[in-house]
Amino acid sequence: MCIENVKRGKRMKRPYIICHMVTSADGKVTGDFLRSPHCERATEVYYELHRRYREQGASGFICGRVTMEESFTGGWYPDLSAYAPAKRENGPYQAYWAEQSLDFYAVAFDPKGRLGWRSVCIRDDDPGYDRSHIVEVLTEQADARYLTYLRELGISYIVAGKEEIDVRSALRMLDEHRQSERWLLEGGSILNGHFLRADCVDELSLVQAPVTADADSKPLFMNGAICGFSPMHTEQQGDVLVMH
């Protein structure tokens, strides 16, 4: 747990965040090493742990725009000219929570509203991600027509910040809507860095592959901060090291 979070024996009102990632032996989380045969077993273990977290009651997973685009939307984007701008009264746009019966969430930190969704939930072959209700976390820079598009599709959204997402504010709104012990932070590097600098990473769940990364690969926390953690549990699965 991050040292600053446990001063005076209490944590600020927000959900508990577990940063769950595959890493190279030299601490990178994105890059060509992920497609290396040396990383195959680490990726399998990562997904196995994700499914276990979901089964154990985690509320959902949190990713940045690029990760969501690469994993789920494929770069598609709607024609917003077909939508009227969302209306707002005094002040910023309010959060919108769509009625839905799903119990696991896919939270996309998408400051300008650049993700194109075709369904209210994730559709994926992996049961750890399939049927996750999508929640967009936006800034006031998002096109007002994008909010209408999300509403008509039945996708929930939060507006937290003017030009950059206020991580703490977004987490408080998530906690108010769905009180939960744990959420999974699953990158990428830039989003992980935002969370660390906001002092909103409570636990690391790292699956280390026996391979090093190249110079273009990204670190676990882009533009991170000094934050102390205490070892909880470490195990070796074949050539893969799992650290909590």
Side-chain angles (χ1 to χ4, degrees):
M1 178 178 288
C2 206
I3 291 172
E4 289 80 357
N5 281 348
V6 292
K7 289 179 180 177
R8 296 180 299 278
K10 59 183 179 181
R11 181 168 58 88
M12 72 180 212
K13 179 60 175 172
R14 61 165 176 78
Y16 188 85
I17 303 298
I18 302 172
C19 183
H20 179 52
M21 301 292 294
V22 172
T23 79
S24 64
D26 52 344
K28 302 300 178 67
V29 293
T30 62
D32 290 340
F33 79 90
L34 290 169
R35 291 178 284 278
S36 164
H38 299 289
C39 201
E40 288 179 2
R41 179 54 187 155
T43 301
E44 291 173 0
V45 172
Y46 170 82
Y47 288 127
E48 289 168 5
L49 286 172
H50 174 98
R51 290 190 289 271
R52 189 183 306 169
Y53 281 126
R54 180 169 181 170
E55 292 166 359
Q56 293 174 346
S59 275
F61 67 99
I62 302 169
C63 291
R65 179 192 62 80
V66 174
T67 301
M68 287 294 195
E69 190 171 87
E70 291 176 348
S71 300
F72 302 114
T73 71
W76 179 81
Y77 194 72
D79 179 5
L80 294 182
S81 66
Y83 300 92
K87 296 180 180 179
R88 65 175 176 181
E89 304 196 357
N90 297 330
Y93 289 102
Q94 300 299 307
Y96 169 72
W97 296 104
E99 291 186 13
Q100 52 85 32
S101 59
L102 303 173
D103 62 357
F104 197 68
Y105 288 62
V107 181
F109 273 58
D110 182 18
K112 296 182 179 180
R114 294 289 188 257
L115 289 169
W117 302 101
R118 300 178 187 269
S119 171
V120 299
C121 65
I122 297 292
R123 296 295 186 183
D124 196 76
D125 292 336
D126 191 319
Y129 294 93
D130 190 44
R131 294 185 57 76
S132 302
H133 177 67
I134 298 161
V135 180
E136 278 272 334
V137 182
L138 308 162
T139 66
E140 294 179 29
Q141 289 190 315
D143 193 317
R145 298 172 299 174
Y146 186 74
L147 304 186
T148 302
Y149 151 74
L150 293 177
R151 281 177 175 263
E152 292 192 8
L153 198 56
I155 291 177
S156 301
Y157 63 78
I158 291 169
V159 180
K162 291 188 176 182
E163 297 182 357
E164 184 175 289
I165 291 174
D166 183 329
V167 172
R168 290 190 174 207
S169 177
L171 291 178
R172 282 196 298 270
M173 284 188 269
L174 278 174
D175 193 61
E176 288 169 2
H177 173 71
R178 181 179 176 81
Q179 294 185 358
S180 168
E181 228 178 82
R182 296 184 296 178
W183 290 78
L184 304 175
L185 172 62
E186 298 187 347
S189 177
I190 293 174
L191 183 63
N192 290 349
H194 280 308
F195 270 66
L196 192 70
R197 293 193 303 276
D199 192 22
C200 292
V201 177
D202 301 297
E203 183 178 328
L204 302 178
S205 174
L206 305 178
V207 183
Q208 187 183 90
V211 60
T212 54
D214 61 19
D216 294 328
S217 298
K218 301 293 192 299
L220 177 60
F221 297 108
M222 182 71 76
N223 299 322
I226 296 175
C227 188
F229 290 83
S230 299
M232 297 166 60
H233 177 69
T234 302
E235 64 177 301
Q236 187 169 346
Q237 296 190 25
D239 60 0
V240 174
L241 186 62
V242 181
M243 297 172 285
H244 298 274

